[in-house]
Amino acid sequence: TFRMLVPALLVLLFCLRGHAGLSPHFLQQPDDLVALLGDEARLPCALGEYWGLVQWTKDGLALGGERDLPGWSRYWISGNAASGQHDLYIRPVELEDQASYECQATQAGLRSRPAQLHVLVPPEAPQVLGGPFVSLVAGVPVNLTCRSRGDARPTPELLWFRDGIRLDGTTFHQPLLKEGTTGSVESILSLTPSSHDDGATLVCRARSQALPSGKDTAITLSLQYPPVVTLSAEPQTVLEGEKVTFLCQATAQPPVTGYRWAKGGSPVLGARGPMLEVVADASFLTEPVSCEVSNAVGSANRSTALDVQFGPVLQARPEPTSVDIGEDASFSCAWRGNPLPRVTWTRSGDAQVLGSGPTLRLPSVGPEDAGDYVCRAEPGLSGLGGGAAEARLTVNAPPIVTALHSAPAFLRGPARLQCLVFASPAPDAVVWSWDEGFLAAGSQGRFLVETFPAPEGRGGQGPALISVLHISGTQESDFSRGFNCSARNRLGEGGTQVSLGRRASASFSKQKNLVRIPGSSDGSSSRGPEEETGSGEDQGPIVHTDHSDLVLDEEGALETKDPTNGYYKVRGVSVSLSLGEGPGGGLFLPPPSPLGPPGTPTFYDFNAHLGMVPPCRLYRARAGYLTTPHPRAFTSYIKPTSIGPPDLDPRTLPFPYAAFPTPSHPRLQTHV
């Protein structure tokens, strides 16, 4: 019975001591612990007032009560048991050691809080697919893949670096295994390499909590790239005609396989190497020279243009222009040169510069502005090029009609009346009218009209026509009435009256019918009948005025045939064309113009003429206006061998539009 009381006494004693404040308790409990794979892990446990059995559990499984924990070769309990120290040691830590651990005082019924042991596995050096030397092609996008290796815990982070600088543009990927667990992770770097990346080193780093410094794997880029070309010219600035050397240099991997040269896009035949020699001309300024270099990967092209200096070259000539009086006129021309040539404008035969630049503008032109204008460019630095180009300005205005001198006629004999018409644009018709009728071309009774071009006048003054009214078998009324010569164009009309003079006797000379045309070389005034025969002096070109075609006689003069076809058997007399007389015996002249200072040749004032009532019956409502000239009206003219001023009456002022002196007053011009 005593033996049975001993345990009861011990329990009672223990209870009594507990009531006295000496019950077992934990002095130190284990905490969660992180350990690296292969390291040593220590979980502390200390008890006070307890000398009984102490054991550790792993995920609820008791490891045993002995200090050396038989059956667990890497586990043991250490510490001074008398002082209550019962620490659990694990060495080396393995993945299977990751668990929840408790320290228990079994006899006191005490259990520590659970402590979680986390086992970390450092990452291994990652793998870069295709490394350590990765061959790429410049300009071709590529993905570089870095993959982790081993069962690292936690999952490592993969980073890319170049020259110690972290690279962006990466993609993280972690594939799933069949069992739903994760395997190795990948990091993909996307880049488009260039020739500068050849030989570059890239680093992929795997790091985690287990290894914050990480482990690196490096690769070297071996780049293939098409040629990188530089093209130079020596000299770059050159005069036309000098030699130039082009040098084409290239770096490439793999090496260069060929060169090709072109100028302005067209191949240069025979040029195959890295050097090209040429003789420079103006075309090199706008047609660059290019060099194309090739290798197995691709090709590259570079071009350069020379600064070729050359003299002016005409690209666009000024165009003749025709404007109405009072309107603005302009001319344009284009010269090409390097440096850009200076372009000036003058009038033909006059050195005064009217403007500079590619365009000349003439505001509100008048008859005095008609003529030839010159666009001029000076030679360049090389002394080559340059020149001039002309264009004519024609000023359109109402016709100016002037009576030419007509020789007196015999009663019942032939007669000729003449008028000179200046008009631009050309008149629709030149019409002769008298009391009982009018005639523009062809014949009507005793009357026949022919019109032909006059000798060419000063440039730009407009065309001139001579109209001749032939009368066969003059009557008394022909000497007393006036004959009207009228012309009209879209700008207005003009007209004059021509009177027929009468000769006292009816004797005729044996000389052929000859008519002097304005523009003769002697510039004399009209001659009387007694001076018109037997003269051996040069009287200028003689134009035959019959309605048949004009021909030259053996002396070079223009011979006329009898307009009456022999009916009157008239050989006639020679007459020189000059200003005729107007009604009342006075000269029919245009009213004076206010243009120019006193003494300057006057020009026609069209305002008075436009308001003039035509003295003829050309516009009778019953007769209408004849617009169709005779079919041969403009075919009976042969250009004279020389052109000079016409035979004018000494009192007559110069005609506008004709080949007479042009007023030399300054003309205000504008230019662009």
Side-chain angles (χ1 to χ4, degrees):
T1 59
F2 178 77
R3 290 181 178 178
M4 296 178 61
L5 292 175
V6 171
L9 292 174
L10 290 175
V11 172
L12 179 61
L13 179 61
F14 179 81
C15 291
L16 292 175
R17 294 184 64 182
H19 286 291
L22 299 176
S23 61
H25 58 278
F26 282 103
L27 299 176
Q28 185 179 12
Q29 298 187 57
D31 294 319
D32 291 344
L33 179 65
V34 175
L36 291 179
L37 181 69
D39 287 354
E40 180 182 272
R42 170 179 170 271
L43 296 171
C45 179
L47 292 166
E49 302 299 326
Y50 180 76
W51 295 273
L53 179 65
V54 176
Q55 70 174 1
W56 285 86
T57 62
K58 175 184 178 182
D59 290 336
L61 176 66
L63 299 179
E66 292 81 359
R67 305 286 286 184
D68 57 354
L69 299 178
W72 300 87
S73 60
R74 295 179 295 106
Y75 290 50
W76 71 92
I77 298 175
S78 178
N80 188 351
S83 61
Q85 196 72 33
H86 307 277
D87 298 341
L88 176 64
Y89 284 84
I90 305 173
R91 187 177 62 189
V93 174
E94 296 182 359
L95 288 177
E96 64 185 30
D97 299 331
Q98 183 168 295
S100 177
Y101 293 86
E102 289 184 3
C103 178
Q104 298 179 355
T106 56
Q107 293 173 332
L110 297 177
R111 299 176 59 183
S112 70
R113 60 175 174 265
Q116 184 70 36
L117 175 62
H118 298 279
V119 179
L120 301 184
V121 181
E124 298 182 12
Q127 176 189 14
V128 178
L129 302 184
F133 296 98
V134 179
S135 180
L136 305 177
V137 177
V140 178
V142 65
N143 293 329
L144 298 179
T145 301
C146 178
R147 180 177 298 167
S148 66
R149 295 187 300 176
D151 189 15
R153 296 186 181 184
T155 301
E157 180 183 18
L158 300 178
L159 305 174
W160 287 92
F161 294 87
R162 177 174 178 173
D163 298 331
I165 300 175
R166 182 175 174 178
L167 301 178
D168 296 326
T170 59
T171 301
F172 181 80
H173 177 65
Q174 185 173 24
L176 292 176
L177 301 179
K178 292 182 179 180
E179 293 80 6
T181 61
T182 58
S184 61
V185 293
E186 295 179 350
S187 178
I188 299 174
L189 174 65
S190 300
L191 76 159
T192 302
S194 67
S195 59
H196 303 292
D197 297 324
D198 187 34
T201 299
L202 301 183
V203 172
C204 180
R205 177 175 298 167
R207 72 180 185 183
S208 68
Q209 181 183 358
L211 188 62
S213 61
K215 285 191 176 182
D216 296 344
T217 298
I219 61 171
T220 300
L221 301 183
S222 176
L223 210 65
Q224 293 186 344
Y225 54 92
V228 179
V229 182
T230 58
L231 178 62
S232 61
E234 183 62 35
Q236 190 72 37
T237 300
V238 62
L239 293 178
E240 187 175 21
E242 293 183 347
K243 287 187 177 181
V244 179
T245 300
F246 293 90
L247 182 61
C248 186
Q249 297 175 305
T251 57
Q253 181 64 34
V256 171
T257 57
Y259 295 84
R260 190 176 72 170
W261 293 88
K263 174 178 174 285
S266 300
V268 179
L269 301 179
R272 301 181 183 276
M275 185 178 296
L276 175 67
E277 291 187 352
V278 298
V279 176
D281 57 35
S283 64
F284 284 87
L285 189 64
T286 55
E287 298 178 5
V289 172
S290 61
C291 173
E292 183 179 81
V293 186
S294 304
N295 69 352
V297 176
S299 62
N301 186 299
R302 288 294 179 271
S303 63
T304 184
L306 292 179
D307 182 16
V308 182
Q309 297 185 348
F310 59 95
V313 178
L314 182 63
Q315 285 188 305
R317 302 181 63 88
E319 297 292 336
T321 184
S322 175
V323 299
D324 294 347
I325 185 171
E327 294 184 351
D328 296 344
S330 64
F331 293 99
S332 295
C333 71
W335 292 86
R336 177 171 171 261
N338 185 32
L340 193 66
R342 181 176 182 268
V343 179
T344 58
W345 292 86
T346 60
R347 289 193 70 160
S348 180
D350 189 352
Q352 181 183 1
V353 176
L354 303 177
S356 61
T359 302
L360 173 69
R361 300 189 187 279
L362 305 174
S364 188
V365 299
E368 70 278 5
D369 297 314
D372 293 327
Y373 288 81
V374 182
C375 172
R376 191 183 311 277
E378 298 300 326
L381 297 177
S382 62
L384 303 176
E390 291 188 3
R392 175 166 295 181
L393 172 63
T394 301
V395 179
N396 300 323
I400 299 175
V401 182
T402 306
L404 297 178
H405 174 73
S406 299
F410 296 101
L411 181 63
R412 291 183 295 279
R416 288 188 183 90
L417 300 178
Q418 299 120 121
C419 67
L420 183 63
V421 179
F422 294 95
S424 177
D428 302 324
V430 180
V431 180
W432 288 87
S433 62
W434 55 94
D435 291 341
E436 65 268 20
F438 59 88
L439 186 61
S443 61
Q444 175 181 320
R446 298 181 298 112
F447 303 96
L448 181 144
V449 172
E450 60 180 353
T451 304
F452 52 89
E456 184 177 356
R458 180 179 292 268
Q461 298 293 337
L465 301 174
I466 294 178
S467 184
V468 181
L469 174 64
H470 298 272
I471 305 174
S472 62
T474 59
Q475 300 176 0
E476 286 287 349
S477 59
D478 295 335
F479 299 103
S480 59
R481 62 184 165 192
F483 293 86
N484 296 303
C485 179
S486 302
R488 184 185 188 92
N489 63 12
R490 63 178 177 80
L491 297 174
E493 64 172 286
T496 189
Q497 190 175 75
V498 184
S499 298
L500 178 61
R502 181 171 181 172
R503 285 195 177 218
S505 63
S507 61
F508 296 90
S509 71
K510 298 296 185 178
Q511 188 175 345
K512 298 179 181 180
N513 285 331
L514 300 175
V515 176
R516 182 79 54 203
I517 298 300
S520 61
S521 60
D522 58 8
S524 63
S525 61
S526 61
R527 295 174 174 82
E530 66 278 1
E531 299 173 2
E532 295 173 354
T533 60
S535 174
E537 297 177 0
D538 182 14
Q539 303 299 322
I542 307 299
V543 178
H544 139 232
T545 61
D546 189 77
H547 55 0
S548 61
D549 294 337
L550 301 177
V551 296
L552 290 172
D553 63 12
E554 294 179 355
E555 288 86 26
L558 294 171
E559 181 179 4
T560 181
K561 297 180 180 180
D562 182 3
T564 64
N565 294 321
Y567 182 80
Y568 291 102
K569 296 183 174 57
V570 175
R571 300 298 292 174
V573 295
S574 64
V575 293
S576 63
L577 301 182
S578 65
L579 284 176
E581 296 181 351
L587 290 174
F588 184 90
L589 295 176
S593 170
L595 297 176
T600 303
T602 57
F603 289 82
Y604 185 59
D605 183 356
F606 296 97
N607 294 326
H609 187 69
L610 289 173
M612 184 183 71
V613 178
C616 64
R617 300 180 183 178
L618 176 62
Y619 303 104
R620 292 179 299 176
R622 182 176 60 185
Y625 180 68
L626 297 180
T627 60
T628 305
H630 189 272
R632 294 189 293 132
F634 294 90
T635 61
S636 301
Y637 169 65
I638 296 179
K639 186 174 182 179
T641 57
S642 64
I643 298 177
D647 296 333
L648 301 177
D649 190 295
R651 299 167 294 171
T652 305
L653 295 175
F655 291 129
Y657 303 107
F660 314 136
T662 303
S664 58
H665 61 278
R667 177 65 158 87
L668 296 178
Q669 310 290 354
T670 61
H671 65 275
V672 176

